[in-house]
Amino acid sequence: MWNKIKYFPISAFTVIMGLSGATLILSKFGSNGWLPSWCYSTALWTLSGLAIFIASLYLLKTMRFMDEVRREFLHPIKINFFPSISISLLLLSIAWEPVSSSVSQYLWWPGVVLHTLFMIKAIGYWITHSYEIKHFNPAWFIPAVGNVLVPISGVEHAPELLSYFYFSSGMFFWIILFGLFMNRVIFHGQLPEKFIPTFFIIIAPPAVGFLAYMRLFGSWDGGAMFLLMMALFFFVLLVSMYRSFTRLKFFMSWWAFTFPLTALTVATTLAFEVSGETAFKYMAWFFAGVSAVVIAVVAWHTLRHLFRGEICVMEE
């Protein structure tokens, strides 16, 4: 058992990210009367229990195998998954907000502090180490996505200026990292197979950015439309590349499929609420269906490989 805990992957927190997105869909659909409210309540408590379980396992790993955690933290790729811990807290904060503002706030503040530390460390690591372009992959977007999540609940829990700070820095790094992403995939060969699913992460910054923009500015304007349409464009682009995602060997990186799709679903639902355009309602239901299928498939493969003992193993 201890050997399994030793190699419990930091990428396991992406499971919480994906299921948090699904919970937010149920919250939005419930508030619009599209689904019964108990669907959201059930998902919220299930998500919270799973988050405690995963966090407990990684805490055990940290307490008993600190050298292994340090090895992950100093890894040029795995370091970018550590902000998924703080992002999970921020997403849980957003998920709890309709039920309890107090619980949401108790989750939000540790999430912001922890994410700030991870973000600064990750960016500092990029600057002070000599990287080759082959080291870049879409997981580098994770710290930027986390910044953009902060204002969604932050407008309720902290001075507005703090939300502007995280929104601005998150969107800035989205632009920078997207340029690096295009350079990497166009001019420097294909990503390793296990990172192909992380292509879907490029949907998340504009989708989450749209949600944050609406919380900060509350305006259905050109800026909001730009972010939403970019998220839709990236979805269409990735669908056109479906052959790249078929017959992939399973890795925990498959969970990278889930959160961006759920974020896009929540974004189109909010777009319907503020604009009244029926097309967005149909999009929201479509993306919700796609998200449900993808989460079910990825969860089934995760459980199958877990029972085979293929998840908590040493990786290069």
Side-chain angles (χ1 to χ4, degrees):
M1 182 187 73
W2 285 113
N3 194 54
K4 294 297 183 183
I5 291 176
K6 180 178 181 179
Y7 296 117
F8 186 71
I10 184 64
S11 56
F13 284 93
T14 60
V15 177
I16 302 175
M17 290 173 59
L19 296 181
S20 294
T23 303
L24 293 175
I25 292 174
L26 296 175
S27 174
K28 275 290 185 184
F29 278 32
S31 65
N32 282 295
W34 299 348
L35 287 175
S37 59
W38 62 262
C39 295
Y40 160 61
S41 300
T42 303
L44 180 62
W45 284 104
T46 303
L47 168 67
S48 300
L50 182 61
I52 292 171
F53 177 70
I54 290 176
S56 298
L57 288 179
Y58 205 81
L59 181 60
L60 278 175
K61 174 178 176 174
T62 303
M63 294 170 63
R64 192 173 177 94
F65 304 106
M66 190 61 192
D67 287 343
E68 183 63 25
V69 174
R70 189 177 294 109
R71 189 178 73 86
E72 282 188 306
F73 195 70
L74 296 177
H75 191 280
I77 295 173
K78 292 180 181 179
I79 188 175
N80 298 298
F81 284 95
F82 274 86
S84 64
I85 300 174
S86 50
I87 289 174
S88 296
L89 285 170
L90 292 170
L91 287 169
L92 285 165
S93 170
I94 297 168
W96 271 97
E97 189 178 344
V99 175
S100 172
S101 179
S102 296
V103 173
S104 175
Q105 186 170 4
Y106 293 146
L107 291 165
W108 186 83
W109 277 108
V112 171
V113 172
L114 195 58
H115 185 75
T116 303
L117 295 175
F118 283 142
M119 172 192 65
I120 296 299
K121 179 63 178 179
I123 295 173
Y125 195 89
W126 299 342
I127 294 171
T128 58
H129 287 72
S130 297
Y131 277 98
E132 297 180 23
I133 192 66
K134 67 179 182 180
H135 290 139
F136 183 88
N137 67 82
W140 287 38
F141 283 98
I142 293 176
V145 174
N147 274 14
V148 180
L149 277 168
V150 169
I152 298 178
S153 285
V155 292
E156 300 294 333
H157 303 319
E160 198 173 63
L161 282 176
L162 192 64
S163 291
Y164 280 110
F165 170 82
Y166 283 95
F167 177 78
S168 301
S169 57
M171 298 309 293
F172 172 78
F173 275 101
W174 169 48
I175 296 169
I176 297 296
L177 292 172
F178 186 73
L180 290 173
F181 168 73
M182 294 299 291
N183 185 341
R184 169 67 177 88
V185 297
I186 293 175
F187 298 111
H188 299 278
Q190 289 294 310
L191 288 172
E193 184 182 34
K194 68 178 180 179
F195 291 120
I196 297 298
T198 63
F199 274 29
F200 268 71
I201 293 177
I202 66 173
I203 297 173
V208 176
F210 169 76
L211 298 173
Y213 187 94
M214 294 304 298
R215 287 303 298 266
L216 281 170
F217 302 103
S219 177
W220 179 246
D221 56 19
M225 287 288 288
F226 170 78
L227 292 168
L228 181 61
M229 293 306 153
M230 287 303 299
L232 291 171
F233 168 76
F234 288 140
F235 174 80
V236 173
L237 175 65
L238 291 171
V239 168
S240 72
M241 297 165 52
Y242 72 94
R243 287 189 178 88
S244 299
F245 306 106
T246 58
R247 304 194 192 99
L248 287 175
K249 180 182 176 182
F250 177 79
F251 294 97
M252 283 297 287
S253 58
W254 276 29
W255 281 96
F257 287 130
T258 59
F259 176 67
L261 290 173
T262 58
L264 185 55
T265 307
V266 176
T268 49
T269 306
L270 178 59
F272 168 72
E273 292 173 356
V274 298
S275 71
E277 291 285 345
T278 307
F280 289 124
K281 180 178 180 179
Y282 293 141
M283 287 183 195
W285 274 104
F286 170 73
F287 290 130
V290 173
S291 299
V293 171
V294 170
I295 289 174
V297 170
V298 175
W300 181 78
H301 278 283
T302 302
L303 292 173
R304 187 162 66 94
H305 285 77
L306 181 64
F307 290 132
R308 288 180 177 178
E310 298 172 353
I311 299 292
C312 300
V313 294
M314 185 175 182
E315 296 180 8
E316 293 297 328

